[in-house]
C-alpha cells in the first residue's frame, strides 16, 4: 500500500511540475531547432529514414528521437516547442518512475522515493528533460537496459533478456552504438565481480550486443541506400571519429577534469549540501588508518556490498570512466549516471534527516534565500527599477533589450501564483524548523518550487527575449511564402531558429545558386560574399534590431537577382 501511495505521489509531482511548462520557452539556441526541424522535414517530405533539412543537411543522429517528435506533432497538428520537448520530458518521467520501482523493491520505498525526487531535481537531468535534444531519450534507454540486465542477473542469467535487447536497440537508434556498449560493459564487469568466468561473461555480453544490433541495422542499411558515402562518412565521424578524437572539426574538446566539474555542477542544488558536508567527511577520513588499511577496507566493502548497491556503483564509475576517454566531452553524456548517484545521495539525505542534523537546516536556510532572491530581482525589473540604472548607450545591448522586454511583457494571474510559490515553501520550512520536525521533505519542496518558478516565469521571460522568433515573423510578413536563401561563413552553422519558425523554408545559397530571391546573411559575412558573387544585384529590405541567437550577428535580408 505504501509503495502505491509513494508511486502516486511521484507521478503527481512529475505531472504538475513538468507538463504545464514545456512550451513556455521559445527556441533560442541552435541545438533545439536543429533537432526539431528534422521532424518537420519528415512530415513535409514523408521521408522517415533520412530526410533533408536546413537546406541540404542530413541529421547527425539516428531518427528515433525525431520519430517521436513527428508522431506527437502529428497528433497535435504541427511541430511546436511543446511537442518537440515532449519526448525528452516523457523519457525523464519514465526513467524516474522505473528507478523508483527498481529501488523500492530492493532498498525500500522511502529510499526509492527520495532517489526519484533527487534525480528529477538534479540540474542536468532537469535541463535534459526540458530540451529538444536526444540525450534524455538515450539516457532512458540506457538506464532501462541496465535495470533489465540487472534483473536478468538476479535470476542467475537464465533465459534471454529480450527487454534489455529492445532498450539497447532503441538507444542505438537514438544516438548510436554507445547505447549497447555501456549497458554491456557495466553488466559484464558486474558478472566478473560476482564470480563469473571471464569468457563466460564476455560470451554472454557479445551475444546480447549482437542481438541488439539487428533492429538498428535495418535503419542503417535503409539510410545508406539513401545517403550513400555521405551518410557512411557521417556515421563513422560521429561515432568512431568522435570517440577516437579524429573528427574533421573540433567538437566539445575538453580535458578529463571537465567531467568532474560537470557532474558537480549538474547536481546543483545538491552539490551545495555536499560542500557543506566536507568538514564532516574530512573528519571521517582522518579517523581511518594507513592507506593499506583503506585498500583492504575498500575490497571488503565491495565484496560484502549488496548487489543493487554494487551495480549502482559500477554504473557510476564505469560510465564516468568511459566518457573520460574521448576528447569530445559534454555534460549530457554523463546523464545515465545521475539516477545511480541519486541513490547514494538519497541515503545520505535520509541519514541527515534521521539524525535531525543541523546541516540540513542550514541547507534549507540557504535554499530559502536562493528562492527569494530571483523573486526580488523580478519585481525590481517589472517595477522599472533596473532599467533606470542602464546607461542610455547600453539600452540596445543584449542585456538592455532583455530587461526592456521583461519590463513590458504582461504577467497573468497564474504566473504570479508560480512566482510567489517559493514563499509558501519557505513558510512551511520555517514552520517545520520551529516545530523541530524532520526537514527533508520541506527542503525538497523548496527545490521543487524554485524549479517551478524558473520554468514557468523566469526562464521564459529571459530566454524568449533572446529568441529569433520575432525576426522570423518580420521576415514572414515581407516574404509570406516561397523559399529563402542563406549564407553563413562558419562551416556547419545555419539559421536553425529562423528556419524552424519559417517552416523549413530556408535553403543554402551556395548549394542552390538561385537566379533571384531573398538572402539572409550577417553583416560580417556580407562584404566577402558580395565580392564572390559579382554577377548578382543585392538590395537590403530588412535588418533585425537584435542579434541572432544562432550567429550572434543581426540578420540582414537582401532581395537579389542575377545580372543580365
Amino acid at each position: 500500500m505504501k509503495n502505491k501511495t509513494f508511486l502516486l505521489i511521484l507521478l503527481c509531482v512529475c505531472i504538475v511540475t513538468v507538463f504545464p511548462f514545456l512550451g513556455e520557452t521559445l527556441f533560442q539556441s541552435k541545438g533545439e531547432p536543429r533537432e526539431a526541424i528534422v521532424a518537420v522535414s519528415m512530415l513535409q517530405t514523408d521521408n522517415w529514414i533520412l530526410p533533408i533539412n536546413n537546406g541540404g543537411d542530413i541529421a547527425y543522429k539516428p531518427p528515433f528521437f525525431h520519430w517521436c517528435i513527428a508522431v506527437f506533432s502529428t497528433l497535435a497538428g504541427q511541430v511546436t516547442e511543446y511537442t518537440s520537448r515532449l519526448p525528452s520530458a516523457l523519457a525523464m518521467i519514465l526513467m524516474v518512475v522505473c528507478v523508483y520501482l527498481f529501488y523500492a523493491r530492493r532498498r525500500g520505498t522511502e529510499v526509492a522515493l527520495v532517489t526519484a525526487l533527487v534525480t528529477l531535481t538534479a540540474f542536468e537531468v532537469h535541463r535534459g528533460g526540458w530540451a529538444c535534444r536526444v540525450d534524455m531519450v538515450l539516457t532512458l534507454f540506457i538506464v532501462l537496459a541496465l535495470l533489465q540486465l540487472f534483473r536478468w542477473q538476479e535470476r542467475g542469467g537464465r533465459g534471454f533478456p529480450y527487454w534489455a535487447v529492445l532498450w539497447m536497440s532503441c538507444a542505438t537508434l537514438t544516438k548510436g552504438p554507445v547505447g549497447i556498449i555501456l549497458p554491456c560493459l557495466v553488466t559484464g564487469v558486474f558478472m566478473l565481480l560476482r564470480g563469473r568466468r571471464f569468457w563466460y561473461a564476455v560470451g554472454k555480453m557479445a551475444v546480447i550486443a549482437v542481438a541488439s544490433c539487428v533492429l538498428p541495422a535495418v535503419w542503417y542499411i535503409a539510410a545508406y541506400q539513401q545517403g550513400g558515402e555521405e551518410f557512411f562518412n557521417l556515421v563513422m565521424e560521429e561515432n568512431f571519429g568522435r570517440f577516437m578524437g579524429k573528427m574533421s572539426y573540433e567538437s566539445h574538446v575538453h580535458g578529463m577534469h571537465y567531467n568532474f566539474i560537470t557532474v558537480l555542477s549538474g547536481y546543483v542544488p545538491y552539490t551545495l549540501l555536499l560542500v557543506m558536508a566536507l568538514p564532516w567527511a574530512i573528519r571521517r577520513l582522518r579517523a581511518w588508518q594507513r592507506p593499506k588499511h583503506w585498500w583492504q577496507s575498500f575490497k571488503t566493502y565491495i565484496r560484502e556490498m549488496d548487489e543493487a548497491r554494487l551495480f549502482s556503483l559500477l554504473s557510476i564509475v564505469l560510465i564516468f570512466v568511459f566518457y573520460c576517454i574521448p576528447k569530445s566531452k559534454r555534460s549530457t553524456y554523463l546523464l545515465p549516471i545521475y539516477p545511480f548517484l541519486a541513490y547514494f545521495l538519497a541515503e545520505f539525505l535520509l541519514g541527515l534527516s534521521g539524525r535531525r542534523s543541523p546541516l540540513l537546516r542550514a541547507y534549507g536556510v540557504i535554499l530559502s534565500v536562493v528562492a527569494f532572491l530571483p523573486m526580488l530581482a523580478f519585481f525590481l525589473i517589472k517595477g522599472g527599477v533596473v532599467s533606470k540604472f542602464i546607461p542610455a548607450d547600453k539600452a540596445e545591448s543584449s542585456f538592455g533589450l532583455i530587461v526592456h522586454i521583461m519590463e513590458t511583457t504582461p504577467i497573468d494571474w497564474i504566473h504570479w501564483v508560480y512566482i510567489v510559490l517559493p514563499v509558501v515553501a519557505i513558510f512551511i520550512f520555517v514552520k517545520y524548523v520551529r516545530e523541530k520536525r524532520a526537514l527533508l521533505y520541506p527542503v525538497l519542496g523548496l527545490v521543487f518550487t524554485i524549479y517551478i518558478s524558473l520554468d514557468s516565469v523566469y526562464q521564459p521571460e529571459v530566454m524568449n527575449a533572446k529568441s529569433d522568433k520575432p525576426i522570423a515573423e518580420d521576415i514572414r510578413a515581407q516574404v509570406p511564402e516561397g523559399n529563402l536563401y542563406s549564407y553563413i561563413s562558419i562551416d556547419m552553422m545555419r539559421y536553425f531558429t529562423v528556419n524552424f519558425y519559417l517552416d523549413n523554408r530556408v535553403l543554402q545559397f551556395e548549394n542552390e545558386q538561385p537566379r533571384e530571391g531573398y538572402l539572409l546573411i550577417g553583416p560580417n559575412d556580407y562584404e566577402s560574399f558580395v565580392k564572390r558573387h559579382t554577377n548578382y544585384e543585392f538590395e537590403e529590405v530588412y535588418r533585425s534590431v537584435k542579434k541572432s541567437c544562432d550567429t550572434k550577428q543581426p540578420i540582414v535580408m537582401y532581395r537579389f537577382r542575377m545580372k543580365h
Side-chain angles (χ1 to χ4, degrees), residues 31-75:
E32 288 194 287
R34 183 178 58 198
E35 301 297 342
I37 205 68
V38 179
V40 173
S41 302
M42 285 180 175
L43 295 174
Q44 287 179 342
T45 64
D46 203 27
N47 182 346
W48 292 58
I49 302 298
L50 200 67
I52 302 300
N53 56 85
N54 290 306
D57 298 339
I58 59 176
Y60 287 82
K61 302 294 185 291
F64 187 90
F65 177 70
H66 311 113
W67 289 342
C68 294
I69 297 175
V71 169
F72 291 137
S73 300
T74 299
L75 297 175

Side-chain angles (χ1 to χ4, degrees), residues 227-248:
E229 289 299 313
E230 181 184 1
F231 170 74
F232 178 80
N233 293 335
L234 179 64
V235 169
M236 296 301 292
E237 182 167 62
E238 283 294 312
N239 292 284
F240 303 103
R242 186 179 294 274
F243 187 80
M244 302 300 294
K246 296 181 179 180
M247 300 184 71
S248 59

Side-chain angles (χ1 to χ4, degrees), residues 363-518:
Y363 178 60
V365 170
I366 295 174
L367 284 180
S368 299
V369 174
V370 171
F372 179 76
L373 287 179
M375 183 175 64
L376 176 62
F378 187 78
F379 280 120
L380 291 175
I381 291 174
K382 284 294 184 182
V385 176
V386 174
S387 60
K388 293 178 181 179
F389 291 92
I390 299 176
D393 59 335
K394 300 293 185 182
E396 297 298 323
S397 66
S398 296
F399 177 73
L401 288 172
I402 289 173
V403 169
H404 173 71
I405 294 172
M406 290 179 65
E407 184 180 327
T408 56
T409 303
I411 298 293
D412 58 28
W413 68 269
I414 188 64
H415 288 91
W416 285 116
V417 172
Y418 296 144
I419 290 170
V420 300
L421 198 57
V423 176
V424 177
I426 292 172
F427 277 120
I428 294 173
F429 171 74
V430 171
K431 183 176 184 293
Y432 271 60
V433 170
R434 288 179 175 177
E435 296 175 356
K436 297 182 179 180
R437 297 167 64 181
L439 298 176
L440 176 56
Y441 293 107
V443 165
L444 290 174
L446 281 167
V447 175
F448 272 100
T449 57
I450 291 172
Y451 274 124
I452 289 173
S453 295
L454 176 71
D455 297 328
S456 62
V457 181
Y458 304 139
Q459 179 172 289
E461 284 280 317
V462 175
M463 297 304 183
N464 290 354
K466 297 169 59 179
S467 176
D468 285 354
K469 183 177 182 180
I471 299 177
E473 291 173 346
D474 291 342
I475 294 172
R476 187 192 298 274
Q478 296 201 37
V479 189
E481 57 185 22
N483 293 329
L484 299 106
Y485 303 91
S486 68
Y487 173 79
I488 301 175
S489 59
I490 301 173
D491 189 33
M492 301 174 65
M493 177 59 73
R494 309 283 184 258
Y495 287 117
F496 296 110
T497 309
V498 164
N499 188 35
F500 174 80
Y501 287 115
L502 288 174
D503 304 318
N504 200 27
R505 292 167 52 195
V506 183
L507 307 179
Q508 297 174 39
F509 186 95
E510 300 288 13
N511 290 350
E512 303 295 327
Q513 295 292 320
R515 295 187 61 83
E516 61 181 2
Y518 292 87

Side-chain angles (χ1 to χ4, degrees), residues 4 67 101 151 164 184 223 228 300 442 454 462 516 527:
K4 291 182 179 179
W67 289 342
L101 294 173
R151 290 186 61 190
C184 289
T300 302
L454 176 71
V462 175
E516 61 181 2
E527 185 176 348

